[in-house]
Amino acid sequence: MTASTEAPSETRIPLNRERVLTAAVHLADREGIGALTMRHLGQELGVEAMSLYNHVANKEDLLNGVVEMLVSEINERVADVPPIVDADDWKRAMRDRILIARSVLVSHSWAPQVIESRTEMTPMLIGYYDALLGLMLQGGFSYDLAHHAMHALGSRALGFTQELFAPDGEGGSSQATGVSVREMAIAFPNLAGMLQVIAHDPAEDSLGWCDDQTEFIFGLDLLLDGLDELRGK
Amino acid sequence: MTASTEAPSETRIPLNRERVLTAAVHLADREGIGALTMRHLGQELGVEAMSLYNHVANKEDLLNGVVEMLVSEINERVADVPPIVDADDWKRAMRDRILIARSVLVSHSWAPQVIESRTEMTPMLIGYYDALLGLMLQGGFSYDLAHHAMHALGSRALGFTQELFAPDGEGGSSQATGVSVREMAIAFPNLAGMLQVIAHDPAEDSLGWCDDQTEFIFGLDLLLDGLDELRGK
DNA sequence: ACCTGAACACCGTTCAAGT
DNA sequence: ACCTGAACACCGTTCAAGT
């Protein structure tokens, strides 16, 4: 009975949860999170959409799995960060870990919105936060301060901030809002002034005049430095 | 010809953009953002879904309008904040404005995710940020520092932070992840320890052990204090 | 145990038609 | 100028049926 089906057994790899999840990540990377539908994902795997339900409870579970996949990679890479040598070293270790997390997420531009739409904690995520908390406790934080610190960092602890009005940010194409440059200078004098000064100095950063990485690190250091101060109290 | 239709002219208020937008806000408030569909909203207004397209370009435009509505209310309320008396007063004024913005958004729990999903700036929003920028300039910030500050604050400048894994937060119902308390204490020792210490002290805050308002203000002051420090440099 | 195909109850949006 | 009704191209998900 096996003989009859042996010939066309080509690359007929059986589907499983991991294959579904990695295909989902690649699909979202390639065509955006909007293209990640059950039907489209099934097609990607050469299978009907309904087959996916054998490996994933529903779409929510699919997205949870996808996040778990990314955070799992973060946790692997973060394991290489040198441990703390003394209490004062907490900030260095925390900064390193967070920037590693960022480097993993940065190639999945859809990840922030998917992560923020999750409603339940997953083991990998708990593990990531537990390690950060451990660093702060070694750094001499009280439980209470460490708890506040986690909330203050928010998604920054995972390496991202949701930029408000992302692409052309605060001003670039003023016609998006139907406001002329002259009208804008009158209605929004402070922004207009800032644009004039900052936009004319493109030497500072290689990217546009809002370098996401630079801004992320500025905000991160502002928070970590502030926490380092409080830690001593 | 008017006579025949005069009798049943009851409360036949003609639809317009503003009525559509306020109905959308109320619908989202009452039944959640998921219930805000064109069909449902039309029904709410006693009209077919397709009629809405006479007052709103599409759903994206509807959501932009809804955000504009909320920010417009913020801008009105924020006008009452006393102006700056001297440069050192910038932080007080900024804090006051941001907490007013928060007080407006707090009754629309769906607002953060809708705002963060916007891709283009709207006039009301630009106006809000322009005013904040003005405060910082009066406070002696360089354009460059003020620009960094805006990015560092991010959505906090509008009065909200997207809490990661919102409802039962970091631990409450540990069975959501299928992990027993004992297993959790082993796998996540730091979080387990924190939960034991903090959860047993419910006197501090009236709400659960994560008071959103307290945490928001902690993070906000951390950032504002740090910026105040840099301002002097 | 895994996959299929048809179906259901939804979406946003178009288009031609009404008044 | 505004509204309607049918239709189109999608969603996630169910269910009975196949192998």
Side-chain angles (χ1 to χ4, degrees):
Chain A
M1 26 162 79
T2 54
S4 63
T5 50
E6 232 153 26
S9 74
E10 308 152 350
T11 0
R12 189 49 175 159
I13 317 157
L15 219 51
N16 58 41
R17 185 168 230 263
E18 198 184 336
R19 276 192 64 219
V20 170
L21 296 181
T22 60
V25 170
H26 292 146
L27 181 55
D29 285 347
R30 192 158 20 85
E31 304 188 31
I33 192 66
L36 180 53
T37 69
M38 300 303 272
R39 282 172 168 85
H40 201 152
L41 179 57
Q43 175 178 317
E44 196 77 5
L45 289 159
V47 106
E48 293 297 310
M50 294 55 197
S51 302
L52 300 175
Y53 287 84
N54 286 310
H55 309 98
V56 132
N58 47 36
K59 182 143 189 200
E60 200 70 359
D61 185 39
L62 173 72
L63 293 177
N64 284 337
V66 157
V67 169
E68 203 65 349
M69 204 112 209
L70 298 184
V71 181
S72 159
E73 186 184 340
I74 289 174
N75 281 343
E76 275 172 33
R77 305 248 317 256
V78 121
D80 296 336
V81 173
I84 289 187
V85 300
D86 60 23
D88 291 344
D89 200 28
W90 78 273
K91 196 167 65 172
R92 190 268 316 155
M94 189 124 172
R95 211 181 107 116
D96 286 356
R97 290 178 100 95
I98 290 174
L99 290 180
I100 284 177
R102 179 171 179 80
S103 77
V104 171
L105 294 186
V106 84
S107 49
H108 309 287
S109 57
W110 45 270
Q113 81 180 256
V114 172
I115 292 173
E116 289 198 332
S117 72
R118 297 309 78 209
T119 112
E120 70 176 56
M121 269 288 196
T122 52
M124 281 292 164
L125 231 359
I126 302 181
Y128 178 79
Y129 284 123
D130 189 73
L132 288 191
L133 180 54
L135 293 181
M136 290 193 279
L137 296 178
Q138 286 183 267
F141 283 60
S142 68
Y143 278 121
D144 205 52
L145 181 58
H147 177 225
H148 286 318
M150 285 304 213
H151 280 280
L153 285 167
S155 66
R156 248 196 190 88
L158 255 174
F160 70 90
T161 58
Q162 271 285 53
E163 285 289 328
L164 257 14
F165 324 102
D168 47 9
E170 48 242 83
S173 67
S174 51
Q175 50 207 22
T177 62
V179 184
S180 78
V181 175
R182 166 164 275 112
E183 286 169 336
M184 174 163 163
I186 294 169
F188 314 119
N190 303 304
L191 275 169
M194 182 170 83
L195 286 172
Q196 215 155 11
V197 170
I198 301 194
H200 283 182
D201 182 6
E204 197 133 308
D205 293 318
S206 50
L207 305 173
W209 65 284
C210 293
D211 181 331
D212 285 348
Q213 182 75 4
T214 300
E215 299 303 345
F216 180 86
I217 289 178
F218 177 88
L220 178 60
D221 285 339
L222 197 56
L223 287 164
L224 293 182
D225 289 347
L227 291 169
D228 201 33
E229 203 74 28
L230 292 177
R231 166 181 81 108
K233 83 107 213 291
Chain B
M1 27 166 74
T2 53
S4 64
T5 49
E6 232 156 25
S9 75
E10 309 152 348
T11 1
R12 189 51 174 155
I13 316 158
L15 220 49
N16 58 41
R17 184 168 231 263
E18 199 185 334
R19 274 191 65 218
V20 170
L21 295 181
T22 59
V25 170
H26 291 146
L27 180 55
D29 285 346
R30 192 157 22 85
E31 305 187 32
I33 192 65
L36 180 51
T37 70
M38 300 303 272
R39 282 172 168 84
H40 201 152
L41 179 57
Q43 175 178 317
E44 197 76 5
L45 288 159
V47 107
E48 293 298 308
M50 294 57 197
S51 302
L52 301 175
Y53 286 84
N54 287 310
H55 309 99
V56 132
N58 46 37
K59 181 142 190 201
E60 200 71 357
D61 185 39
L62 174 72
L63 293 177
N64 284 336
V66 157
V67 169
E68 203 64 349
M69 204 111 209
L70 297 184
V71 181
S72 158
E73 186 184 340
I74 289 175
N75 281 342
E76 275 171 34
R77 305 249 316 255
V78 122
D80 296 336
V81 173
I84 289 188
V85 300
D86 60 23
D88 291 345
D89 201 27
W90 77 275
K91 196 167 70 173
R92 190 269 315 156
M94 189 125 172
R95 210 182 106 116
D96 285 355
R97 290 177 102 93
I98 290 174
L99 291 180
I100 284 176
R102 178 171 178 80
S103 78
V104 171
L105 295 186
V106 83
S107 49
H108 309 288
S109 58
W110 44 270
Q113 81 180 258
V114 172
I115 293 172
E116 289 197 333
S117 73
R118 295 312 77 208
T119 112
E120 69 176 55
M121 267 289 194
T122 52
M124 281 294 163
L125 232 359
I126 303 182
Y128 178 78
Y129 284 123
D130 190 72
L132 288 190
L133 180 53
L135 294 181
M136 291 192 279
L137 296 178
Q138 286 183 266
F141 283 61
S142 68
Y143 278 122
D144 205 53
L145 181 58
H147 177 225
H148 287 317
M150 285 303 212
H151 280 279
L153 284 167
S155 66
R156 246 196 193 88
L158 256 175
F160 69 90
T161 58
Q162 271 285 51
E163 284 289 330
L164 257 16
F165 324 101
D168 45 10
E170 51 243 81
S173 67
S174 53
Q175 50 207 21
T177 62
V179 184
S180 79
V181 174
R182 166 163 275 114
E183 285 168 338
M184 173 163 164
I186 294 168
F188 314 120
N190 302 304
L191 276 169
M194 183 171 82
L195 285 173
Q196 215 154 12
V197 169
I198 300 194
H200 284 181
D201 183 4
E204 197 131 310
D205 293 318
S206 50
L207 306 172
W209 65 285
C210 293
D211 181 332
D212 284 349
Q213 182 74 3
T214 299
E215 300 302 345
F216 181 85
I217 289 177
F218 178 89
L220 178 60
D221 285 339
L222 198 57
L223 287 164
L224 294 182
D225 289 347
L227 291 169
D228 202 34
E229 202 74 28
L230 292 176
R231 166 181 82 108
K233 82 111 211 290

